[in-house]
PDB file of all heavy atoms in Angstrom:
ATOM      1  N   PRO L 795      45.028  37.531  60.369  1.00 97.00           N
ATOM      2  CA  PRO L 795      45.528  36.156  60.251  1.00 97.00           C
ATOM      3  C   PRO L 795      44.807  35.304  59.207  1.00 97.00           C
ATOM      4  O   PRO L 795      45.233  34.180  58.950  1.00 97.00           O
ATOM      5  CB  PRO L 795      45.353  35.586  61.654  1.00 97.00           C
ATOM      6  CG  PRO L 795      44.389  36.476  62.331  1.00 97.00           C
ATOM      7  CD  PRO L 795      44.448  37.810  61.687  1.00 97.00           C
ATOM      8  N   GLY L 796      43.758  35.820  58.608  1.00 98.00           N
ATOM      9  CA  GLY L 796      43.077  35.061  57.566  1.00 98.00           C
ATOM     10  C   GLY L 796      42.067  35.928  56.852  1.00 98.00           C
ATOM     11  O   GLY L 796      41.637  36.975  57.376  1.00 98.00           O
ATOM     12  N   TYR L 797      41.691  35.513  55.645  1.00 98.00           N
ATOM     13  CA  TYR L 797      40.759  36.293  54.839  1.00 98.00           C
ATOM     14  C   TYR L 797      39.682  35.397  54.248  1.00 98.00           C
ATOM     15  O   TYR L 797      39.969  34.284  53.782  1.00 98.00           O
ATOM     16  CB  TYR L 797      41.499  37.017  53.713  1.00 98.00           C
ATOM     17  CG  TYR L 797      42.420  38.078  54.270  1.00 98.00           C
ATOM     18  CD1 TYR L 797      43.766  37.805  54.485  1.00 98.00           C
ATOM     19  CD2 TYR L 797      41.908  39.312  54.649  1.00 98.00           C
ATOM     20  CE1 TYR L 797      44.595  38.773  55.050  1.00 98.00           C
ATOM     21  CE2 TYR L 797      42.731  40.284  55.209  1.00 98.00           C
ATOM     22  CZ  TYR L 797      44.073  40.004  55.406  1.00 98.00           C
ATOM     23  OH  TYR L 797      44.879  40.946  55.974  1.00 98.00           O
ATOM     24  N   ALA L 798      38.466  35.930  54.271  1.00 98.00           N
ATOM     25  CA  ALA L 798      37.349  35.214  53.666  1.00 98.00           C
ATOM     26  C   ALA L 798      36.866  35.962  52.439  1.00 98.00           C
ATOM     27  O   ALA L 798      37.067  37.176  52.326  1.00 98.00           O
ATOM     28  CB  ALA L 798      36.217  35.069  54.668  1.00 98.00           C
ATOM     29  N   ILE L 799      36.256  35.234  51.551  1.00 98.00           N
ATOM     30  CA  ILE L 799      35.595  35.828  50.389  1.00 98.00           C
ATOM     31  C   ILE L 799      34.099  35.699  50.635  1.00 98.00           C
ATOM     32  O   ILE L 799      33.554  34.589  50.676  1.00 98.00           O
ATOM     33  CB  ILE L 799      36.016  35.115  49.088  1.00 98.00           C
ATOM     34  CG1 ILE L 799      37.545  35.217  48.921  1.00 98.00           C
ATOM     35  CG2 ILE L 799      35.274  35.713  47.893  1.00 98.00           C
ATOM     36  CD1 ILE L 799      38.103  34.401  47.768  1.00 98.00           C
ATOM     37  N   GLY L 800      33.469  36.847  50.882  1.00 97.00           N
ATOM     38  CA  GLY L 800      32.038  36.859  51.172  1.00 97.00           C
ATOM     39  C   GLY L 800      31.255  37.361  49.985  1.00 97.00           C
ATOM     40  O   GLY L 800      31.821  37.721  48.952  1.00 97.00           O
ATOM     41  N   GLY L 801      29.935  37.374  50.143  1.00 94.00           N
ATOM     42  CA  GLY L 801      29.085  37.944  49.110  1.00 94.00           C
ATOM     43  C   GLY L 801      28.947  37.097  47.868  1.00 94.00           C
ATOM     44  O   GLY L 801      28.434  37.549  46.844  1.00 94.00           O
ATOM     45  N   LEU L 802      29.387  35.857  47.950  1.00 95.00           N
ATOM     46  CA  LEU L 802      29.190  34.933  46.829  1.00 95.00           C
ATOM     47  C   LEU L 802      28.297  33.779  47.298  1.00 95.00           C
ATOM     48  O   LEU L 802      27.941  33.690  48.468  1.00 95.00           O
ATOM     49  CB  LEU L 802      30.532  34.407  46.309  1.00 95.00           C
ATOM     50  CG  LEU L 802      31.410  35.463  45.596  1.00 95.00           C
ATOM     51  CD1 LEU L 802      32.741  34.863  45.184  1.00 95.00           C
ATOM     52  CD2 LEU L 802      30.670  36.023  44.362  1.00 95.00           C
ATOM     53  N   SER L 803      27.968  32.892  46.348  1.00 92.00           N
ATOM     54  CA  SER L 803      27.061  31.785  46.645  1.00 92.00           C
ATOM     55  C   SER L 803      25.734  32.326  47.163  1.00 92.00           C
ATOM     56  O   SER L 803      25.157  31.809  48.105  1.00 92.00           O
ATOM     57  CB  SER L 803      27.709  30.826  47.660  1.00 92.00           C
ATOM     58  OG  SER L 803      27.096  29.557  47.602  1.00 92.00           O
ATOM     59  N   VAL L 804      25.298  33.429  46.556  1.00 90.00           N
ATOM     60  CA  VAL L 804      24.042  34.067  46.958  1.00 90.00           C
ATOM     61  C   VAL L 804      23.084  34.173  45.770  1.00 90.00           C
ATOM     62  O   VAL L 804      22.233  35.047  45.737  1.00 90.00           O
ATOM     63  CB  VAL L 804      24.299  35.476  47.558  1.00 90.00           C
ATOM     64  CG1 VAL L 804      25.033  35.367  48.876  1.00 90.00           C
ATOM     65  CG2 VAL L 804      25.081  36.352  46.580  1.00 90.00           C
ATOM     66  N   GLY L 805      23.260  33.271  44.811  1.00 89.00           N
ATOM     67  CA  GLY L 805      22.327  33.258  43.696  1.00 89.00           C
ATOM     68  C   GLY L 805      22.953  33.601  42.349  1.00 89.00           C
ATOM     69  O   GLY L 805      22.277  33.525  41.323  1.00 89.00           O
ATOM     70  N   GLU L 806      24.224  33.998  42.351  1.00 93.00           N
ATOM     71  CA  GLU L 806      24.886  34.297  41.073  1.00 93.00           C
ATOM     72  C   GLU L 806      25.096  33.002  40.288  1.00 93.00           C
ATOM     73  O   GLU L 806      24.935  31.911  40.826  1.00 93.00           O
ATOM     74  CB  GLU L 806      26.240  34.993  41.319  1.00 93.00           C
ATOM     75  CG  GLU L 806      27.366  34.106  41.822  1.00 93.00           C
ATOM     76  CD  GLU L 806      27.263  33.772  43.304  1.00 93.00           C
ATOM     77  OE1 GLU L 806      26.297  34.205  43.958  1.00 93.00           O
ATOM     78  OE2 GLU L 806      28.149  33.047  43.804  1.00 93.00           O
ATOM     79  N   SER L 807      25.499  33.137  39.032  1.00 95.00           N
ATOM     80  CA  SER L 807      25.727  31.941  38.213  1.00 95.00           C
ATOM     81  C   SER L 807      26.972  31.217  38.713  1.00 95.00           C
ATOM     82  O   SER L 807      27.835  31.803  39.374  1.00 95.00           O
ATOM     83  CB  SER L 807      25.935  32.346  36.757  1.00 95.00           C
ATOM     84  OG  SER L 807      27.208  32.966  36.614  1.00 95.00           O
ATOM     85  N   ARG L 808      27.025  29.955  38.374  1.00 96.00           N
ATOM     86  CA  ARG L 808      28.204  29.166  38.747  1.00 96.00           C
ATOM     87  C   ARG L 808      29.473  29.743  38.111  1.00 96.00           C
ATOM     88  O   ARG L 808      30.525  29.789  38.732  1.00 96.00           O
ATOM     89  CB  ARG L 808      27.965  27.719  38.297  1.00 96.00           C
ATOM     90  CG  ARG L 808      29.156  26.829  38.393  1.00 96.00           C
ATOM     91  CD  ARG L 808      28.715  25.389  38.443  1.00 96.00           C
ATOM     92  NE  ARG L 808      28.390  25.010  39.807  1.00 96.00           N
ATOM     93  CZ  ARG L 808      27.601  24.007  40.131  1.00 96.00           C
ATOM     94  NH1 ARG L 808      27.004  23.291  39.195  1.00 96.00           N
ATOM     95  NH2 ARG L 808      27.386  23.711  41.385  1.00 96.00           N
ATOM     96  N   ALA L 809      29.344  30.228  36.869  1.00 96.00           N
ATOM     97  CA  ALA L 809      30.511  30.818  36.190  1.00 96.00           C
ATOM     98  C   ALA L 809      30.993  32.052  36.945  1.00 96.00           C
ATOM     99  O   ALA L 809      32.193  32.252  37.137  1.00 96.00           O
ATOM    100  CB  ALA L 809      30.150  31.174  34.746  1.00 96.00           C
TER     101      ALA L 809
END
Side-chain angles (χ1 to χ4, degrees):
Chain L
Y797 293 96
I799 301 173
L802 291 177
S803 201
V804 292
E806 74 283 1
S807 72
R808 170 159 275 158

